[in-house]
Amino acid sequence: MNSSFKQLRLDGVGRAYPTASGATVAALADLHLDIQRGEFVALLGPSGCGKSTALNCLAGLTDLSSGRIWLDDTRIDTLPPERRGFGMVFQNYALFPHMSVQDNVGFGLRMRGTPKADAARRVAEALALVQLEGHAKKLPGQLSGGQQQRVAIARAIVIEPPVILMDEPLSNLDAKLRIEMRAEIRRIHGALQLSTVYVTHDQDEALSMADRIVVMRAGSAQQIGTPREVYGSPCNLHVARFMGYRNVLPFAVTALDHDRITVQSQGVALQGTAMAVPAGTREVAVAMRPDDFELAAAGNDNAFDATVKAMEFGGRTSLLIVDSPIGELFVRLGGVFQPGDRVRLHIPPDRTLAYAEEA
Ligand code: ADP
Ligand code: MG
């Protein structure tokens, strides 16, 4: 397949399955997504939201119920997986246990009838790229989980695919290795100028690795944007909650001017940012991240008093549960607090997001 393509396009891709009652349910509905060459796109969402379905539709492992997939001007959703030639990396590595590392990596090349000398050179290059040169003759069982996942990556990239698809490739690794492998996968992506579609349910992973994130829920894309966009300006409460806006509380609208909104609840007035709130809306849900609170300085607007109820020590900062007039809140602050301490909290208006939805 052409690896100098410009764009891989999912054009309204959907996949439905019949249910026991005879109805059908959409595992994936109407996904529109353009992936540029060299781009790293993460599909992010909770378990069961359709991430693997989307990836398998791209790979050709699952038939589409609707839509088309294009690589530039070539329609590819009608091609079998081997003719698409995408590299795949799965959560469980899927290595052949009885084959050496180099034979595992070279498997795709042998299947394609690549001449032996050429194949040997490319296997050595792929192993060098994932930093496993010294392990070529070992069996997968003699390697750590992280090393096995590197073998799986080498096996996927050795065929020089135009696009590499990864389905939760790090979820079987321990926390420290996961963080190291994030950087490693980004490095390989950059070195080979790959297009990568990366499935994960881990926000931090998506935020730290991807150029763009597709936030999914119940089979549909909720928001497609850069990490900064989906983190800073979630398009709805579902995305906001998923991005760590743990405090979602009802407020009454007292003024609304484009994206500037003033809200109030139990005598507390806050300036906030209206997230596409229609004129005339009277009730909103306000979403605030624990990390966006700070101790109020004298004269701060957007401030109110609260009482510490519980505290979870976290090193440099602590997660507090506080009681306040607007309700119970999760707040992350530096310093040491005791239950019963009074604090005055401040949150900036651009971190106080109002949605025309029910809290
Ligand atoms: P994710 O990868 O985000 O966890 P999946 O794409 O695996 O989610 O699944 C999305 C939805 O489609 C789930 O509700 C799942 O139960 C359903 N689903 C996936 N594969 C099948 C199948 N072969 N038959 C019936 N339902 C399926
Ligand atoms: Mg999955």
Side-chain angles (χ1 to χ4, degrees), residues 1 3 85 109 121-122 125 156-163 192 194:
M1 191 51 66
S3 53
L109 297 174
R121 178 184 54 78
R122 284 167 63 179
E125 281 172 8
I157 61 183
V158 77
I159 59 168
E160 297 171 13
V163 177
L192 296 179
L194 286 166

Side-chain angles (χ1 to χ4, degrees), residues 182-259:
R182 285 181 198 170
E184 187 66 13
I185 289 174
R186 254 321 297 205
R187 182 182 67 74
I188 292 166
H189 165 88
L192 296 179
Q193 298 182 296
L194 286 166
S195 301
T196 302
V197 184
Y198 186 99
V199 162
T200 180
H201 63 269
D202 181 323
Q203 302 88 306
D204 290 339
E205 219 167 271
L207 289 168
S208 65
M209 297 177 79
D211 298 315
R212 266 189 320 146
I213 298 176
V214 181
V215 184
M216 297 179 61
R217 177 199 194 187
S220 74
Q222 305 278 301
Q223 185 169 8
I224 302 179
T226 63
R228 195 177 289 270
E229 284 163 357
V230 296
Y231 184 77
S233 308
C235 70
N236 61 32
L237 276 185
H238 164 74
V239 177
R241 284 202 173 92
F242 202 67
M243 285 294 149
Y245 291 72
R246 264 180 99 168
N247 304 297
V248 179
L249 299 163
F251 277 80
V253 177
T254 51
L256 174 61
D257 177 15
H258 297 89
D259 68 341

Side-chain angles (χ1 to χ4, degrees), residues 94-96 99-112 114 119-130 132-133 135-138 140 143 147-160:
L95 300 175
F96 299 112
M99 274 188 203
S100 68
V101 165
Q102 65 184 17
D103 286 347
N104 264 285
V105 174
F107 183 77
L109 297 174
R110 285 198 299 285
M111 296 293 286
R112 285 171 170 74
T114 308
R121 178 184 54 78
R122 284 167 63 179
V123 167
E125 281 172 8
L127 285 175
L129 196 71
V130 299
L132 282 179
E133 294 98 324
H135 302 276
K137 299 220 158 30
K138 291 185 182 166
L143 302 180
Q147 290 170 327
Q148 290 186 46
Q149 195 52 289
R150 283 169 205 254
V151 176
I153 293 170
R155 185 181 55 184
I157 61 183
V158 77
I159 59 168
E160 297 171 13

Side-chain angles (χ1 to χ4, degrees), residues 17 27 46-53:
Y17 288 105
S47 177
C49 72
K51 306 179 297 291
S52 295
T53 302

Side-chain angles (χ1 to χ4, degrees), residues 3-323:
S3 53
S4 62
F5 74 101
K6 288 202 184 63
Q7 180 173 274
L8 173 63
R9 161 169 290 184
L10 289 91
D11 183 11
V13 170
R15 170 73 209 195
Y17 288 105
T19 61
S21 66
T24 57
V25 61
L28 181 69
D30 204 29
L31 179 59
H32 288 272
L33 175 66
D34 290 345
I35 299 158
Q36 310 304 320
R37 187 151 76 100
E39 200 175 23
F40 195 117
V41 173
L43 307 182
L44 172 67
S47 177
C49 72
K51 306 179 297 291
S52 295
T53 302
L55 209 68
N56 292 338
C57 286
L58 261 175
L61 301 173
T62 297
D63 290 335
L64 313 190
S65 309
S66 58
R68 307 247 187 284
I69 303 174
W70 301 87
L71 198 65
D72 291 337
D73 298 330
T74 309
R75 187 173 162 192
I76 63 164
D77 56 278
T78 49
L79 300 178
E82 63 278 8
R83 301 242 347 253
R84 302 185 198 186
F86 295 167
M88 297 243 3
V89 180
F90 299 97
Q91 178 176 341
N92 58 7
Y93 324 136
L95 300 175
F96 299 112
H98 56 283
M99 274 188 203
S100 68
V101 165
Q102 65 184 17
D103 286 347
N104 264 285
V105 174
F107 183 77
L109 297 174
R110 285 198 299 285
M111 296 293 286
R112 285 171 170 74
T114 308
K116 263 195 169 159
D118 190 22
R121 178 184 54 78
R122 284 167 63 179
V123 167
E125 281 172 8
L127 285 175
L129 196 71
V130 299
Q131 298 172 345
L132 282 179
E133 294 98 324
H135 302 276
K137 299 220 158 30
K138 291 185 182 166
L139 293 174
Q142 295 173 284
L143 302 180
S144 69
Q147 290 170 327
Q148 290 186 46
Q149 195 52 289
R150 283 169 205 254
V151 176
I153 293 170
R155 185 181 55 184
I157 61 183
V158 77
I159 59 168
E160 297 171 13
V163 177
I164 191 150
L165 308 174
M166 300 199 185
D167 196 346
E168 314 228 15
L170 305 184
S171 28
N172 283 346
L173 304 180
D174 67 44
K176 182 168 173 290
L177 199 54
R178 268 206 308 271
I179 292 186
E180 286 171 17
M181 286 298 288
R182 285 181 198 170
E184 187 66 13
I185 289 174
R186 254 321 297 205
R187 182 182 67 74
I188 292 166
H189 165 88
L192 296 179
Q193 298 182 296
L194 286 166
S195 301
T196 302
V197 184
Y198 186 99
V199 162
T200 180
H201 63 269
D202 181 323
Q203 302 88 306
D204 290 339
E205 219 167 271
L207 289 168
S208 65
M209 297 177 79
D211 298 315
R212 266 189 320 146
I213 298 176
V214 181
V215 184
M216 297 179 61
R217 177 199 194 187
S220 74
Q222 305 278 301
Q223 185 169 8
I224 302 179
T226 63
R228 195 177 289 270
E229 284 163 357
V230 296
Y231 184 77
S233 308
C235 70
N236 61 32
L237 276 185
H238 164 74
V239 177
R241 284 202 173 92
F242 202 67
M243 285 294 149
Y245 291 72
R246 264 180 99 168
N247 304 297
V248 179
L249 299 163
F251 277 80
V253 177
T254 51
L256 174 61
D257 177 15
H258 297 89
D259 68 341
R260 299 174 58 149
I261 192 166
T262 310
V263 296
Q264 94 147 5
S265 168
Q266 305 301 319
V268 173
L270 293 177
Q271 313 281 330
T273 303
M275 305 302 288
V277 175
T281 303
R282 294 168 64 171
E283 306 281 330
V284 288
V286 171
M288 296 169 283
R289 299 179 57 250
D291 305 61
D292 290 329
F293 287 95
E294 49 193 69
L295 289 174
N300 263 159
D301 283 343
N302 265 31
F304 55 90
D305 293 315
T307 306
V308 176
K309 260 176 82 176
M311 168 176 142
E312 190 181 286
F313 180 68
R316 207 166 59 80
T317 60
S318 299
L319 186 66
L320 310 181
I321 300 176
V322 304
D323 264 332

